[in-house]
């Protein structure tokens, strides 16, 4: 099958390579000529511009956009005039599902089918495959099935869930048509919200383990800091790389995220190559907004998002306010940076 791929970054380029390896034909375009040339040298069909890309596709023409959410509308504005009735535009990035619903309506008026694909797999997708959560018209999704199946990880070594009775679903292959336009990115949005919470749980737990030797630290006795009670109970110098390694084997908290954490700690036990500023690309915020709209409590996911804000020094002024109030009502001076 032949498909166009727009956006040849870390994920887009690897998706092209996975498709090429399986025998699909991929026409590629990006603002980076180097990115195009790199994939052309590996078997992709190079396009000089959007019009050239569309001209090299057969009907119904399918164009997959693998670009940041902020650029999707302008990219649609470029490609939609080049497409005709029955053609398909696919957004495989992390767009807001409400934008998908709007885009699908706008494109349907022009006869163009719009498919949203929440794609998980990151830089490992080339080797492992991509978990795909898909929203859009039945006809378009069915047409794209050879592409979606190739990009997905397949059954692999995972055993079927005990008691599972459905035999008509592609979920066991690692991809699923979730429903109408917007549903794919809605499911991926919540997936990423859960990811925030899981990451925060690992991070907080490992931080407690890292500081389990606090009883050995000599602290200044003053009125500003409560003393550590029973310091003899916190005398452990724990090996975090080895602890994450043992957790990977038979533990109920084992996961791919833990595998990646263990790998990072094995290379850099103190994580000195990182500054600790954790970004959020939007899905966590949208998940929490959906929880508010639905009236559904999500305290763990909400707190994990706020922790990311704090990691980027967005709590500094609030912390200064607290210090100022302590000084005003009690004459409490801030302790030097680095002290408890």
């Amino acid at each position: 099958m032949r498909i166009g791929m727009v956006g040849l970054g870390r994920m887009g380029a690897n998706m092209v390579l996975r498709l090429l390896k399986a025998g699909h034909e991929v026409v590629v375009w990006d603002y980076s000529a180097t990115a195009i040339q790199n994939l052309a040298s590996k078997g992709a069909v190079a396009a000089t511009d959007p019009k050239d890309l569309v001209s090299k596709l057969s009907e119904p023409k399918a164009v997959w956009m693998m670009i940041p959410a902020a650029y999707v509308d302008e990219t649609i504005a470029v490609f939609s005039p080049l497409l005709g009735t029955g053609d398909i535009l696919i957004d495989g990035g992390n767009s807001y599902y409400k934008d998908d619903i709007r885009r699908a309506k706008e494109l349907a008026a022009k006869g163009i089918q719009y498919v949203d694909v929440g794609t998980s797999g990151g830089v490992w997708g080339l080797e492992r495959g991509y978990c795909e959560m898909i929203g859009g018209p039945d006809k378009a999704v069915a047409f794209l099935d050879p592409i979606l199946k190739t990009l997905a990880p397949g059954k692999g070594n995972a055993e079927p869930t005990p008691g599972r009775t459905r035999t008509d679903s592609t979920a066991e292959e690692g991809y699923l048509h979730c429903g109408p336009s917007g549903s794919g990115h809605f499911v991926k949005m919540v997936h990423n919200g859960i990811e925030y919470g899981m990451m925060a749980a690992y991070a907080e737990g490992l931080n407690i383990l890292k500081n389990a030797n606090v009883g050995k630290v000599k602290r200044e006795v003053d009125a500003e800091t409560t003393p550590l009670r029973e310091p003899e109970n916190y005398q452990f110098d724990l090996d975090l790389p080895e602890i994450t390694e043992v957790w990977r084997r038979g533990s109920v908290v084992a996961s791919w995220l833990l595998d990646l954490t263990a790998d990072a700690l094995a290379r850099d036990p103190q994580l000195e190559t990182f500054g600790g500023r954790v970004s959020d690309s939007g899905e966590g915020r949208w998940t929490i907004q959906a929880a508010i709209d639905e009236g559904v409590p999500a305290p763990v996911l909400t707190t994990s998002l706020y922790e990311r804000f704090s990691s980027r020094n967005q709590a500094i002024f609030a912390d200064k306010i607290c210090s100022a109030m302590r000084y005003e009502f009690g004459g409490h001076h801030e302790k030097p940076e680095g002290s408890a």
Side-chain angles (χ1 to χ4, degrees):
M1 182 174 177
R2 177 170 281 213
I3 191 170
M5 180 68 74
V6 176
L8 308 176
R10 288 171 298 180
M11 287 187 68
N14 280 348
M15 292 169 77
V16 170
L17 293 174
R18 188 171 175 89
L19 291 170
L20 292 173
K21 185 178 179 181
H24 295 285
E25 297 177 337
V26 188
V27 185
V28 298
W29 181 74
D30 191 282
Y31 285 110
S32 168
T34 300
I36 297 173
Q37 292 166 4
N38 285 342
L39 288 170
S41 69
K42 296 172 182 175
V45 179
T48 56
D49 55 37
K51 185 175 181 179
D52 185 44
L53 181 144
V54 172
S55 72
K56 291 177 176 176
L57 299 175
S58 55
E59 295 183 355
K61 301 180 179 184
V63 178
W64 188 303
M65 300 175 291
M66 206 64 196
I67 57 179
Y71 299 108
V72 173
D73 279 325
E74 63 184 68
T75 304
I76 290 175
V78 170
F79 278 90
S80 59
L82 305 174
L83 299 173
T85 300
D87 290 341
I88 306 168
L89 268 172
I90 307 112
D91 178 11
N94 281 326
S95 288
Y96 190 28
Y97 79 96
K98 292 183 180 180
D99 290 333
D100 292 318
I101 295 171
R102 168 182 56 80
R103 292 164 183 157
K105 290 179 179 178
E106 293 170 351
L107 290 168
K110 302 176 181 180
I112 299 170
Q113 304 179 86
Y114 179 81
V115 176
D116 52 287
V117 182
T119 309
S120 181
V123 296
W124 295 88
L126 173 59
E127 176 185 347
R128 292 169 57 104
Y130 302 88
C131 176
E132 299 160 291
M133 295 142 272
I134 306 150
D138 293 347
K139 185 177 179 180
V141 175
F143 176 78
L144 294 170
D145 189 74
I147 295 294
L148 298 168
K149 186 171 185 177
T150 297
L151 291 172
K155 292 184 179 179
N157 296 323
E159 294 292 332
T161 301
R164 179 176 167 81
T165 58
R166 285 197 62 175
T167 59
D168 61 341
S169 172
T170 58
E172 289 185 5
E173 299 283 345
Y175 69 109
L176 181 68
H177 185 192
C178 300
S181 297
S183 64
H185 277 147
F186 186 88
V187 174
K188 177 57 164 40
M189 173 187 80
V190 176
H191 164 284
N192 282 22
I194 293 170
E195 179 185 299
Y196 282 26
M198 292 175 66
M199 292 173 68
Y202 282 128
E204 291 178 15
L206 290 169
N207 198 30
I208 292 170
L209 294 177
K210 186 179 189 302
N211 288 279
N213 62 356
V214 68
K216 296 182 178 183
V217 178
K218 299 297 183 183
R219 298 174 180 273
E220 180 183 350
V221 178
D222 57 38
E224 301 303 318
T225 309
T226 184
L228 175 65
R229 297 174 63 90
E230 302 174 335
E232 64 275 12
N233 292 333
Y234 298 94
Q235 299 286 322
F236 305 123
D237 294 306
L238 300 173
D239 190 328
L240 299 190
E242 291 303 293
I243 289 170
T244 51
E245 187 64 27
V246 76
W247 281 356
R248 293 180 60 220
R249 305 172 191 283
S251 164
V252 296
V253 299
S255 72
W256 187 35
L257 278 175
L258 182 63
D259 294 344
L260 298 175
T261 304
D263 184 55
L265 288 169
R267 292 195 311 269
D268 182 6
Q270 300 303 318
L271 301 181
E272 293 177 350
T273 55
F274 297 93
R277 292 175 59 88
V278 187
S279 298
D280 72 287
S281 52
E283 301 87 353
R285 303 185 190 204
W286 304 334
T287 299
I288 292 160
Q289 184 59 58
I292 293 169
D293 291 344
E294 296 173 6
V296 174
V300 172
L301 306 190
T302 302
T303 300
S304 68
L305 175 66
Y306 288 166
E307 178 57 34
R308 292 193 177 201
F309 296 164
S310 182
S311 77
R312 305 196 297 269
N313 294 328
Q314 296 302 308
I316 289 294
F317 189 71
D319 294 338
K320 289 181 177 180
I321 290 289
C322 286
S323 285
M325 288 189 290
R326 290 188 79 245
Y327 179 76
E328 292 296 328
F329 68 66
H332 300 286
H333 291 275
E334 284 190 327
K335 299 195 72 173
E337 186 174 351
S339 60

